[in-house]
Amino acid sequence: MVSASLVTDLLRKLEEEKDQWIYDAIERFDGEKYAVDQELRSPEDQIIEIKVIEHSMCKQKGLNLKRMELELRTLEDTMIENRRSLENLEEELDVLQKELAIYEDGTKGLDGIQLEKFQCVLDDKFTFDKKDQVVFKERKISKLMESYHLVETEMLEFYQRQLSEVWLLLTRSMQNIASTAKFDFETDPPVVDVSLKHGRGLDQYLKPGNFEEDYWIALGTLEWNNKIVYEYYINQIHQFQRNAKEELMQLWDCKKEQKRLADEKVLELQEKNRQLEERMVELKGQLGRAKPEWEQGLQRPMLLDDILKEEFVRVVSGWQERLFAEDASDEERWAYHQYCQIILKQAERIIGNEYF
């Protein structure tokens, strides 16, 4: 028989030892990080807190990893979208540049439109003698008026041919834009009639001086009408040029502003892409470090459970040796059995029933 005092001493000793396996497990796991507190908190509370901390840290690392992976995918998608936008902007800028060139060419084409002035020549309608005078047989009113009308017709036809060419040039300068401009020339110049001083009655000029005077009157009238007709048409051409250039410049200004905004957008997207690339490099570096840490963190809760099981087995094995020792009394066997059950329940609460 074992005395009651010995049993009491054994129970006290076992009570002191029943939590030591937990403290040993904590020390083995990470003694520097998790310093044991044997006075203020129970060992079970401490190990459960450690397990919660480890699981929480592992979960947080996993969440951080997912967040970084999600951010990286978002950055990659944004980069792809930005590149697509840049390609579209480059196409838009190419179109705008071509349109600006069209307006510039149209303006240059308008500036190049000219109207040549007709040269009034009456001499080639007459024959001159050795004294450089019109021969007598051609010094007639009918001959002078016929020559006058021939030159006048030549003048009007000369301007009509040019007007056709000018109309074509004006139209071509605006053909590549949706223009409402019309180039309808007014063709009724206010020409004056010739008013001769001599030759009334007879068709033939008897006095050379009278013919000469009427000749210069006819030539002067032709030159005056030529001036009127030239200015009549050149003023219309200048007005058409101003109107067309104004329209072209408005379109040019509009496209130039669009190009400026597109250029700014290109620079903005390029800067954003540069920042995205820098962030992606930084993020990939963080992921490269975070993933091994997370994988290592996944092992820590299992490592802690393995250490706890090892320490549990160690202490139970020691007690079971005493339990089954030949010289052990019934009271000692009972005490060891009771405390084996106590720490078994501890282990079930700490590690989980599936391990036992």
Side-chain angles (χ1 to χ4, degrees):
M1 293 290 293
V2 179
S3 65
S5 62
L6 290 176
V7 172
T8 300
D9 291 340
L10 178 59
L11 291 174
R12 186 183 300 110
K13 179 182 178 183
L14 291 174
E15 181 65 25
E16 292 174 354
E17 291 179 357
K18 72 178 177 68
D19 295 328
Q20 188 60 44
W21 71 280
I22 299 175
Y23 293 134
D24 291 342
I26 294 173
E27 183 64 27
R28 283 181 58 192
F29 178 67
D30 203 339
E32 293 183 1
K33 182 176 180 180
Y34 299 112
V36 296
D37 181 359
Q38 300 188 21
E39 295 182 358
L40 300 179
R41 290 182 298 169
S42 70
E44 282 191 41
D45 289 343
Q46 292 182 62
I47 195 64
I48 293 299
E49 181 180 352
I50 291 171
K51 288 171 70 70
V52 169
I53 290 172
E54 289 295 327
H55 280 289
S56 177
M57 289 172 60
C58 184
K59 182 179 179 181
Q60 187 60 49
K61 287 179 180 179
L63 291 174
N64 290 340
L65 192 64
K66 288 181 179 179
R67 177 188 59 76
M68 287 188 284
E69 290 172 340
L70 177 60
E71 184 182 354
L72 185 59
R73 287 195 298 272
T74 303
L75 290 174
E76 290 171 346
D77 291 341
T78 304
M79 285 281 289
I80 292 172
E81 185 63 30
N82 284 354
R83 290 194 186 101
R84 190 179 297 114
S85 297
L86 279 171
E87 290 174 359
N88 293 337
L89 281 170
E90 287 171 359
E91 292 177 2
E92 180 183 347
L93 283 169
D94 184 57
V95 172
L96 287 170
Q97 190 60 51
K98 290 178 180 177
E99 289 178 332
L100 286 170
I102 288 172
Y103 302 148
E104 290 168 0
D105 290 342
T107 301
K108 291 176 182 178
L110 288 170
D111 288 336
I113 296 174
Q114 302 294 329
L115 184 68
E116 185 181 351
K117 193 172 185 179
F118 180 73
Q119 299 297 319
C120 294
V121 179
L122 199 57
D123 291 353
D124 59 0
K125 304 294 188 285
F126 295 91
T127 303
F128 292 83
D129 58 20
K130 294 179 180 180
K131 295 181 180 180
D132 203 23
Q133 291 183 340
V134 176
V135 297
F136 178 75
K137 65 179 182 178
E138 293 184 6
R139 285 185 284 183
K140 297 179 179 181
I141 294 174
S142 57
K143 176 67 175 178
L144 181 60
M145 291 304 297
E146 180 186 1
S147 300
Y148 172 88
H149 289 304
L150 281 173
V151 175
E152 186 179 52
T153 300
E154 289 173 1
M155 175 185 69
L156 294 175
E157 290 177 349
F158 175 82
Y159 286 119
Q160 285 298 322
R161 287 195 301 272
Q162 284 199 87
L163 289 181
S164 297
E165 295 176 0
V166 168
W167 182 89
L168 186 60
L169 291 173
L170 287 168
T171 303
R172 284 178 178 173
S173 68
M174 306 296 284
Q175 67 182 355
N176 292 319
I177 66 172
S179 174
T180 58
K182 293 183 178 181
F183 308 108
D184 297 331
F185 285 95
E186 295 181 7
T187 55
D188 188 21
V191 295
V192 299
D193 294 328
V194 64
S195 179
L196 302 177
K197 288 183 65 176
H198 307 285
R200 294 177 179 84
L202 296 176
D203 185 35
Q204 187 76 46
Y205 284 96
L206 300 177
K207 294 181 179 181
N210 291 346
F211 174 78
E212 289 291 332
E213 189 173 356
D214 278 354
Y215 176 89
W216 289 111
I217 289 173
L219 182 58
T221 303
L222 283 172
E223 290 176 343
W224 176 256
N225 283 340
N226 184 38
K227 179 177 180 294
I228 289 174
V229 174
Y230 176 80
E231 291 179 352
Y232 179 77
Y233 288 126
I234 197 66
N235 288 337
Q236 292 184 66
I237 291 171
H238 287 166
Q239 185 60 50
F240 291 149
Q241 285 175 312
R242 284 192 294 270
N243 293 343
K245 286 174 70 175
E246 182 179 350
E247 184 174 357
L248 284 173
M249 287 307 299
Q250 288 176 349
L251 291 170
W252 189 89
D253 289 340
C254 180
K255 295 300 179 181
K256 192 69 174 178
E257 178 63 14
Q258 291 180 25
K259 184 177 181 299
R260 184 188 67 80
L261 294 174
D263 283 331
E264 287 183 357
K265 187 64 177 177
V266 166
L267 292 175
E268 180 183 342
L269 284 174
Q270 288 175 341
E271 176 60 22
K272 284 183 178 179
N273 278 356
R274 186 190 64 78
Q275 294 175 359
L276 289 175
E277 287 175 354
E278 289 182 355
R279 176 56 183 159
M280 286 173 66
V281 171
E282 178 186 3
L283 201 55
K284 286 178 180 178
Q286 292 176 356
L287 273 169
R289 294 186 296 272
K291 198 163 186 177
E293 290 179 3
W294 172 70
E295 291 172 348
Q296 184 180 0
L298 287 175
Q299 303 300 319
R300 284 179 64 83
M302 292 185 287
L303 174 62
L304 179 56
D305 285 344
D306 289 342
I307 292 174
L308 285 166
K309 284 186 286 182
E310 290 173 5
E311 290 299 325
F312 168 78
V313 169
R314 181 184 60 77
V315 69
V316 169
S317 297
W319 288 356
Q320 284 180 341
E321 287 181 5
R322 299 175 191 176
L323 172 65
F324 295 113
E326 292 181 359
D327 58 348
S329 65
D330 292 338
E331 291 82 357
E332 287 174 328
R333 288 193 177 94
W334 176 84
Y336 287 124
H337 176 74
Q338 291 300 317
Y339 273 89
C340 283
Q341 292 301 311
I342 289 173
I343 66 171
L344 175 62
K345 294 300 181 182
Q346 278 185 327
E348 288 177 348
R349 289 193 297 270
I350 294 169
I351 304 172
N353 291 322
E354 65 269 20
Y355 292 111
F356 301 97

